[in-house]
Amino acid sequence: MTVDVHLFPVGHCRNSAWLVESGRLFRQVHLPAMVAIIRHPDAGVILFDTGYGKPLLSAASLPARLYRTLLPFRWKEQDSIPYHLWNLGLSPEDITTIFLSHFHPD
């Protein structure tokens, strides 16, 4: 049985090195939002996490605006999950399971 795992960055945010790694307060670090696309012979195509996306760019809710202020992120179309799926010869319809490891926008 062969399981294929492909890791991709789906945007990134930046934050103070002090908060992330006890580094200097004003040095910024870039933190990629990683997702995995897993091809399993029995379970099908599994998406592990979802990264950033268009909805968070335009969401007008207070939590979304606060998130964008506290953790500014960058995302472009080439970071999108459909783009990465397409490069693997897949489409969003091929996904059988989505696994979320945490509950915040990336």
Side-chain angles (χ1 to χ4, degrees), residues 11-50:
H12 70 273
C13 70
R14 60 185 163 83
N15 207 325
S16 167
W18 180 79
L19 288 172
V20 175
E21 58 191 18
S22 299
R24 291 187 304 202
L25 180 61
F26 296 108
R27 185 172 70 84
Q28 295 286 301
V29 292
H30 294 269
L31 306 165
M34 300 298 292
V35 303
I37 298 172
I38 304 163
R39 289 192 214 184
H40 189 279
D42 296 327
V45 178
I46 302 164
L47 176 62
F48 185 91
D49 281 335
T50 58

Side-chain angles (χ1 to χ4, degrees), residues 34-36 46-51 81 97-106:
M34 300 298 292
V35 303
I46 302 164
L47 176 62
F48 185 91
D49 281 335
T50 58
I81 290 169
T97 305
I98 299 174
F99 183 91
L100 298 177
S101 68
H102 56 285
F103 296 105
H104 58 85
D106 77 347

Side-chain angles (χ1 to χ4, degrees), residues 5 8 11 13 28-30 36 38-39 43 48 50 53 57 59 61 63 66 70 72 74 76 80 87 91 95 103 106:
V5 179
F8 299 101
C13 70
Q28 295 286 301
V29 292
H30 294 269
I38 304 163
R39 289 192 214 184
F48 185 91
T50 58
L57 286 172
S61 70
L66 188 58
L70 295 175
R74 300 287 182 261
K76 54 188 183 290
S80 72
N87 282 330
S91 71
I95 295 172
F103 296 105
D106 77 347

